[in-house]
Amino acid sequence: MDSSSRVVIYLTRHGKTILNTLDRVQGWADSPLTEEGALVAHDLGRGLKGTHFVAAYASDRGRAIETARIVMQESDNQHLKLAKLAEIREFGFGKFEGEYNQTVLKMVANEHGFDSIESYYDKTTENDSNIVIDTVNRLDETGMTENSTIFEERLTAGLDEILADVTKLGGGDVLVVAHGMVIHRIIEMIDPSQNLRIIENASVTKVIFENGAYSIEEPGNMFYVEAGKQAQGGV
């Protein structure tokens, strides 16, 4: 692999879905984009117009694929073939899929002796995503969840595949549409100091590979969505 090739991954969270709107857990389970979710994907695509991607990837969940296709169309990158990667699928919550988010977060906090997830976060320096992932994995007896180590190994394999493909093309800008916890974990793996509590739908985090190393720029940036709104004449 040519480590001198610069690869810039525009790591994007999918648009808002029905389950997002209902504030329910959505990992391997899926639901379609809402009207609002589709609109923000269109805004993102318009904001990315002028960015010429050399490749485009999405998680194999429908919400990520739907978002990617809208973004590709609006940004004039529809000529690219969209590659679907199971390796960048969201964390699977097993029996907790579809449960209310706050119910699961309260359960995680209670397991660690706290009344709320906020009070737990205030008292710990651990990575937020690991807390949830490993607690859910321990409490789910279905065998459908992953611990944080396995989750990280899966994401690393996905990044490695994208990097290998794009390096063969000589590097360049890449669109990758994934999920909230996926993006959190990738940021934590590369540069924990830049991690955010919330990754907004359609936000862009730049994952850069250059000179043999990864770095993070502009985590959770909503600039492209705002630029797309302005291009459409919105406010």
Side-chain angles (χ1 to χ4, degrees), residues 98-169:
E99 182 58 86
Y100 283 108
N101 283 313
Q102 289 305 311
T103 299
V104 174
L105 291 175
K106 190 174 192 314
M107 175 193 72
V108 170
N110 292 163
E111 278 295 304
H112 293 274
F114 291 86
D115 292 333
S116 70
I117 197 67
E118 290 79 15
S119 60
Y120 182 43
Y121 288 158
D122 286 343
K123 298 294 184 181
T124 183
T125 58
E126 293 180 69
N127 288 329
D128 294 357
S129 67
N130 277 352
I131 295 166
V132 176
I133 289 167
D134 287 328
T135 306
V136 168
N137 175 250
R138 189 172 67 251
L139 295 177
D140 174 65
E141 67 277 5
T142 68
M144 292 188 291
T145 62
E146 303 155 297
N147 63 34
S148 58
T149 300
I150 294 172
F151 185 47
E152 180 175 328
E153 288 172 350
R154 170 160 69 80
L155 298 182
T156 299
L159 284 176
D160 286 349
E161 182 173 341
I162 293 167
L163 187 61
D165 290 347
V166 178
T167 300
K168 290 175 184 175
L169 298 173

Side-chain angles (χ1 to χ4, degrees), residues 6-175:
R6 176 180 165 91
V7 176
V8 181
I9 295 172
Y10 286 65
L11 183 58
T12 303
R13 188 183 176 199
H14 59 80
K16 183 174 283 190
T17 67
I18 291 173
L19 287 176
N20 289 154
T21 303
L22 298 174
D23 197 27
R24 289 184 178 271
V25 170
Q26 182 178 225
W28 287 11
D30 206 11
S31 65
L33 301 186
T34 60
E35 181 179 356
E36 178 187 351
L39 286 173
V40 77
H42 282 283
D43 288 335
L44 174 59
R46 283 190 292 269
L48 286 168
K49 191 168 288 189
T51 303
H52 302 292
F53 295 113
V54 298
Y57 296 82
S59 153
D60 65 350
R61 301 293 87 178
R63 58 194 186 271
I65 295 167
E66 188 178 356
T67 300
R69 286 180 172 153
I70 293 171
V71 171
M72 290 165 70
Q73 183 72 34
E74 288 283 7
S75 64
D76 294 333
N77 286 285
Q78 65 270 28
H79 60 283
L80 296 172
K81 180 180 179 181
L82 179 64
K84 305 170 189 68
L85 285 184
E87 288 81 3
I88 56 171
R89 180 189 299 177
E90 182 62 290
F91 172 72
F93 286 82
K95 72 177 185 180
F96 302 109
E97 293 280 349
E99 182 58 86
Y100 283 108
N101 283 313
Q102 289 305 311
T103 299
V104 174
L105 291 175
K106 190 174 192 314
M107 175 193 72
V108 170
N110 292 163
E111 278 295 304
H112 293 274
F114 291 86
D115 292 333
S116 70
I117 197 67
E118 290 79 15
S119 60
Y120 182 43
Y121 288 158
D122 286 343
K123 298 294 184 181
T124 183
T125 58
E126 293 180 69
N127 288 329
D128 294 357
S129 67
N130 277 352
I131 295 166
V132 176
I133 289 167
D134 287 328
T135 306
V136 168
N137 175 250
R138 189 172 67 251
L139 295 177
D140 174 65
E141 67 277 5
T142 68
M144 292 188 291
T145 62
E146 303 155 297
N147 63 34
S148 58
T149 300
I150 294 172
F151 185 47
E152 180 175 328
E153 288 172 350
R154 170 160 69 80
L155 298 182
T156 299
L159 284 176
D160 286 349
E161 182 173 341
I162 293 167
L163 187 61
D165 290 347
V166 178
T167 300
K168 290 175 184 175
L169 298 173
D173 295 333
V174 189
L175 175 68

Side-chain angles (χ1 to χ4, degrees), residues 187-205:
I187 295 172
E188 288 168 1
M189 286 159 51
I190 297 170
D191 185 357
S193 70
Q194 296 211 51
N195 199 21
L196 305 175
R197 180 60 57 84
I198 297 173
I199 298 292
E200 300 284 355
N201 295 100
S203 65
V204 172
T205 296

